[in-house]
Amino acid sequence: MSERKVLNKYFPPDFDPAAIPRRKQAKDAQHKVRLMTPYAMRCDTCGEYIYKGKKFNARKETVEGETYYSIKIFRFYIKCPRCSAEITFKTDPKNTDYVAEHGAQRNFEPWREERIAGEESKLLKEMEEENNPMKALENRTIDSKIEMDVLDALDEIRTRNARNERVDADALLDKLVEQDNVKEKSQEELLEEEDSKVAKAIFHNIDGDAVKRIADEDELDLKQLLSDSAKSLLLPKFSSPNTPNTKNEDDNSLAKRKQKRPGSELGIIVKKRKQASTTSPVKIETNSSPILSSTTSTINIDPSSNKIANSLGDLLGAYGSDSDNDD
């Protein structure tokens, strides 16, 4: 298959380019081109605004009889996108710009007005100097003064640049680092002063005396802080009955409880009571609080009696009767 886009074409050895006839074109012939508008404009027919850079399919032609130093001037034809009115503009080689010719007006551009105003003032100044020699002298004096000021400013800039070139970069960096360190130290000192002020405000009383905290080793027991009378009012500590911890002890105690009592053969249940040798009064002290006064009560317990006072059971935490029951 041959190449679709042929880049190199074959020319036979007997090819004569002069034998090819030239195509004749008119001087005012127009060519179709694709362009973008070089400036913002407003259509005179419908008032549509066309911004700068809008793309159009245009026709280009060479302007006959107009040149600028043998430079050709071209004219472009476009149509308004709203009303399809024809708009023309041409090139301006003198000002390196474009000129609106027909169908639309160029929008106001302040920088163009400033440039035009500057050119006009320059022309007026030249005309005044030609007619008035004293005015020309004054203008030259003002210009020389401005030039001297500019030269002085340039000398100052050169001197400053030379002085900056002589400065050692390492020394400058060391100096900056030192300044940063001094600034950090000053900030740390300020923070320490603020901390000390806060601590002084917290740990000092109104008179200015320091309030010391008692160390853990020096802390006193609560009982040492109580008076002797309050210590006597404290209740004694009652120990709980020993409970078996192992399975063997439970089995031994259960075997002892199941031992036969006298009369067990006859089916009689005998309850053994613990006999008290003597009757003795029991003194009990009750304390409602360490601050309140204590009350002392005396209760007589009869060993022959089978009942114990509820008050004694409540105070001593008794577990009930001392008699053993058969399982």
Side-chain angles (χ1 to χ4, degrees), residues 119-140 142:
E119 292 176 355
E120 291 179 355
S121 63
K122 186 177 180 180
L123 291 173
L124 291 174
K125 185 177 179 181
E126 291 176 355
M127 292 176 64
E128 288 179 358
E129 289 178 356
E130 290 178 358
N131 299 327
N132 191 355
M134 294 300 295
K135 187 69 174 178
L137 180 62
E138 289 178 1
N139 292 335
R140 285 197 298 271
I142 293 170

Side-chain angles (χ1 to χ4, degrees), residues 141-278:
T141 304
I142 293 170
D143 293 339
S144 63
K145 185 178 179 180
I146 293 171
E147 186 177 358
M148 291 297 294
D149 293 339
V150 171
L151 291 174
D152 292 340
L154 288 173
D155 291 337
E156 184 179 356
I157 292 170
R158 291 193 188 98
T159 305
R160 185 169 63 250
N161 292 337
R163 185 172 59 252
N164 293 335
E165 289 178 357
R166 289 194 299 270
V167 174
D168 189 7
D170 296 335
L172 183 61
L173 291 174
D174 294 339
K175 188 174 181 181
L176 292 174
V177 171
E178 186 178 356
Q179 290 178 357
D180 293 339
N181 294 333
V182 171
K183 189 181 292 184
E184 289 178 0
K185 289 181 180 178
S186 62
Q187 290 179 356
E188 290 178 358
E189 290 177 357
L190 290 173
L191 291 174
E192 289 178 358
E193 289 180 0
E194 291 178 358
D195 293 341
S196 62
K197 288 180 181 179
V198 173
K200 189 174 182 181
I202 294 173
F203 297 106
H204 287 71
N205 54 16
I206 299 174
D207 299 333
D209 299 333
V211 179
K212 295 182 179 180
R213 181 179 178 275
I214 299 175
D216 295 339
E217 297 177 357
D218 300 336
E219 289 184 358
L220 299 176
D221 192 3
L222 295 176
K223 292 182 180 180
Q224 296 180 5
L225 299 175
L226 297 176
S227 60
D228 296 337
S229 61
K231 289 178 182 179
S232 63
L233 297 176
L234 294 175
L235 287 172
K237 294 182 179 179
F238 298 99
S239 61
S240 60
N242 295 328
T243 58
N245 296 327
T246 60
K247 186 176 180 181
N248 295 331
E249 293 179 358
D250 294 339
D251 296 341
N252 295 331
S253 60
L254 185 61
K256 288 180 182 180
R257 292 175 183 175
K258 290 184 177 181
Q259 287 180 357
K260 294 181 180 181
R261 270 76 172 184
S264 59
E265 297 85 353
L266 302 176
I268 300 172
I269 297 174
V270 180
K271 294 184 179 180
K272 186 178 179 182
R273 300 181 182 276
K274 188 179 290 185
Q275 300 292 336
S277 60
T278 57

Side-chain angles (χ1 to χ4, degrees), residues 275-291:
Q275 300 292 336
S277 60
T278 57
T279 303
S280 60
V282 179
K283 185 184 289 185
I284 300 170
E285 294 182 358
T286 60
N287 298 332
S288 59
S289 65
I291 301 173

Side-chain angles (χ1 to χ4, degrees), residues 67-72:
T67 57
Y68 177 75
Y69 294 111
S70 70
I71 298 174
K72 293 181 180 181

